[in-house]
Amino acid sequence: MRRKGLWFALAVALQVVILLTLVGRHSYTLATGTEVLLKSEPIDPWSPLKGQYVRLRYNISTFPLSLAAGEEPPYQRGDVVWVILQKYNPDGDPYWSATAVGKERSRPGPGQVAVQARVDWVQWWGDPSQNPPTGFKSQVNLLYGIEEFYVPEGEGPGLEANRGGITVKAKADRFGRMALSQVLVNGEPVEWK
């Protein structure tokens, strides 16, 4: 009987440690990360297990493979890549943009952060069979782990209607992890009661 109690206590302790690790990593990113402002457009899915949540697609989610200088494409779904985000934007808008992507982590310069992402899909078009390829272009869609957040029931469609006015403040820590810190609709923080 004692042995069963010990195994039960170890199983509970392991679950608590895993939960605290997940919460601790997220809290660390929010507390120490560099704030990054991202332009977004929402999608309003619903799941019977998760409830209502909003999926976000960012201005840094899709990039042309020409940003992957010095590397041999193609990337494949599931590949982990490092993205250099830069605050300076030549258009003068306040949003951070992706300036380089690679499979190896490179050191960010001033006004930049390096974040980790996972390849979601790769799109190719043109005629790759010709040498050199004619009109051959490609783009990659990335996931940063900040694409979903949960909303109170009924709030998702209202956010989806604001397709051009969603801005996200995220934090990027020194390990390349990102966490959502605030969602803004038309410049105003979203607060649910």
Side-chain angles (χ1 to χ4, degrees):
M1 192 68 159
R2 253 180 162 194
R3 182 167 267 176
K4 285 183 182 179
L6 178 63
W7 284 112
F8 178 76
L10 286 174
V12 170
L14 179 62
Q15 291 176 20
V16 169
V17 167
I18 290 171
L19 182 61
L20 289 176
T21 300
L22 293 174
V23 170
R25 284 177 55 175
H26 187 77
S27 297
Y28 174 83
T29 301
L30 289 175
T32 65
T34 301
E35 188 170 86
V36 175
L37 189 65
L38 302 171
K39 189 170 188 160
S40 177
E41 61 181 59
I43 304 166
D44 177 34
W46 185 86
S47 163
L49 298 176
K50 295 179 179 179
Q52 192 165 33
Y53 62 101
V54 173
R55 284 202 65 136
L56 300 171
R57 182 176 172 84
Y58 298 103
N59 59 321
I60 61 170
S61 293
T62 304
F63 73 93
L65 267 180
S66 61
L67 288 179
E71 291 199 1
E72 284 295 317
Y75 290 119
Q76 295 182 3
R77 183 183 182 128
D79 285 353
V80 174
V81 295
W82 286 90
V83 181
I84 299 292
L85 301 181
Q86 184 169 323
K87 186 174 185 178
Y88 170 75
N89 194 318
D91 299 334
D93 65 27
Y95 304 111
W96 289 59
S97 58
T99 60
V101 179
K103 290 185 179 179
E104 300 295 322
R105 183 177 187 164
S106 59
R107 174 160 283 183
Q112 296 180 334
V113 293
V115 295
Q116 211 171 31
R118 187 173 38 84
V119 175
D120 187 33
W121 52 261
V122 180
Q123 181 180 25
W124 303 87
W125 62 94
D127 188 359
S129 65
Q130 298 204 3
N131 194 6
T134 57
F136 191 59
K137 297 180 181 176
S138 60
Q139 66 182 23
V140 175
N141 189 65
L142 299 174
L143 299 174
Y144 294 89
I146 56 171
E147 283 75 22
E148 295 179 356
F149 72 96
Y150 298 92
V151 296
E153 197 67 36
E155 296 287 337
L159 285 175
E160 188 179 40
N162 287 300
R163 285 205 172 264
I166 302 287
T167 302
V168 169
K169 287 184 181 178
K171 297 277 186 118
D173 69 18
R174 64 188 184 107
F175 299 107
R177 295 185 300 251
M178 293 184 79
L180 286 175
S181 61
Q182 192 171 43
V183 177
L184 306 160
V185 175
N186 298 322
E188 297 295 318
V190 174
E191 294 182 26
W192 291 287
K193 298 178 170 100

